[in-house]
């Protein structure tokens, strides 16, 4: 029978164990640069990260995991929508928020907005374990802001840490916890049933594909 011709576009999706989520300029790139040998662009303005970055975290317990930083999301228009597919196969998500409020941001509103976008993009991805990290604790003027944020999210079932990526305060606790829950996290299906291409064959073609051993 005649062969079949098909044009395909192949896209390699990065496979990381842990993905970083958050709005622009909340400290994701700084965190990646501190816990891995990666050297992402870091600056005090939005969208310094325009392409996904990967780094390998070596823990003090001897194990390691791959961490992916994606461009920051902005509700409805975020550049990160183009790159969320790169963390579709992550087992755990670290959700970083700016708790300082110096840019006029509300950490809880940011958290809910990002999760709303995540759910719109991929329902399965939105159900992955999330570790919430309140960053820039070193410049937070009112500690009660963090305590209220932590209480609210813990009531929703999230584990919350406070951290300063700039001074490295709290980073070891975050890494130790993530490393531990990774061991119990579910394996991610590398190729979903929807992504598989199965050509439709007639009876004669199927018969021709049979192999006798």
């Amino acid at each position: 029978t005649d062969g079949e011709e098909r044009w395909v576009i192949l896209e390699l999706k990065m496979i990381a164990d842990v993905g970083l989520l958050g709005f622009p300029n909340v400290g994701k790139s700084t965190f990646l640069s501190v816990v891995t040998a990666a050297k992402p662009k870091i600056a005090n303005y939005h969208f310094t990260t325009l392409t996904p970055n990967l780094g390998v975290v070596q823990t003090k317990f001897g194990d390691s995991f791959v961490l992916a930083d994606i461009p920051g999301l902005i509700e409805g228009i975020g550049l990160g929508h183009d790159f969320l597919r790169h963390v579709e196969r992550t087992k755990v998500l670290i959700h970083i928020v700016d708790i300082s409020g110096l840019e006029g941001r509300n950490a809880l509103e940011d958290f809910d907005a990002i999760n709303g976008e995540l759910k719109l993009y991929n329902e399965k991805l939105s159900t992955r374990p999330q570790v919430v990290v309140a960053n820039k604790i070193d410049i937070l003027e009112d500690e009660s802001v963090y305590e209220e944020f932590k209480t609210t999210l813990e009531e929703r079932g999230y584990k919350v840490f406070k951290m300063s990526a700039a001074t490295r305060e709290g980073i070891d606790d975050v890494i130790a916890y993530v490393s531990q829950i990774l061991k119990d996290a579910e394996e991610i299906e590398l190729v979903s049933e929807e992504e598989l291409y199965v050509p439709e064959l007639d009876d004669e073609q199927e018969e021709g594909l049979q192999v006798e051993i």
Side-chain angles (χ1 to χ4, degrees):
T1 59
D2 295 336
E4 180 179 321
E5 181 178 314
R6 179 179 296 268
W7 286 91
V8 296
I9 297 175
L10 301 179
E11 178 181 45
L12 176 63
K13 294 184 181 181
M14 297 190 302
I15 300 176
D17 301 300
V18 180
L20 291 177
L21 289 178
F23 271 76
N25 208 33
V26 297
K28 300 188 302 297
S29 295
T30 301
F31 179 74
L32 180 73
S33 70
V34 170
V35 300
T36 76
K39 302 298 180 187
K41 182 179 180 181
I42 299 172
N44 190 28
Y45 55 85
H46 293 182
F47 296 122
T48 52
T49 301
L50 296 177
T51 58
N53 293 303
L54 284 180
V56 178
V57 179
Q58 299 283 350
T59 76
K60 56 185 174 183
F61 306 107
D63 49 0
S64 63
F65 58 86
V66 178
L67 181 65
D69 172 27
I70 63 170
L73 286 164
I74 284 185
E75 192 172 6
I77 61 170
L79 290 176
H81 280 198
D82 291 333
F83 302 106
L84 272 174
R85 61 186 182 275
H86 292 296
V87 292
E88 281 179 326
R89 293 164 183 164
T90 57
K91 300 176 184 177
V92 175
L93 298 171
I94 297 177
H95 193 148
I96 299 180
V97 299
D98 178 357
I99 198 65
S100 72
L102 290 186
E103 290 193 0
R105 309 204 64 87
N106 180 292
L108 186 59
E109 290 178 1
D110 284 357
F111 178 83
D112 288 337
I114 291 291
N115 275 288
E117 293 294 309
L118 198 64
K119 189 172 183 179
L120 286 174
Y121 175 80
N122 186 315
E123 185 80 30
K124 289 183 180 179
L125 190 55
S126 69
T127 63
R128 299 279 158 76
Q130 278 192 43
V131 179
V132 184
V133 177
N135 190 32
K136 304 187 182 183
I137 197 73
D138 56 311
I139 53 176
L140 176 65
E141 296 180 351
D142 185 355
E143 182 72 18
S144 67
V145 173
Y146 166 71
E147 294 300 334
E148 183 178 344
F149 174 77
K150 179 183 178 183
T151 298
T152 300
L153 288 191
E154 284 184 341
E155 288 174 352
R156 299 186 193 178
Y158 293 99
K159 181 70 174 177
V160 182
F161 291 88
K162 62 180 178 179
M163 180 189 80
S164 168
T167 66
R168 305 195 178 195
E169 176 188 352
I171 282 181
D172 288 344
D173 292 337
V174 174
I175 295 301
Y177 181 76
V178 170
S179 177
Q180 183 59 45
I181 64 174
L182 265 176
K183 297 174 182 177
D184 301 322
E186 294 182 7
E187 290 294 329
I188 303 303
E189 189 179 48
L190 293 181
V191 181
S192 68
E193 208 171 294
E194 294 79 14
E195 292 176 306
L196 287 174
Y197 168 65
V198 181
E200 295 182 3
L201 304 176
D202 57 33
D203 293 339
E204 184 178 342
Q205 288 174 314
E206 286 186 352
E207 184 178 346
L209 289 175
Q210 291 179 0
V211 178
E212 294 184 2
I213 300 178

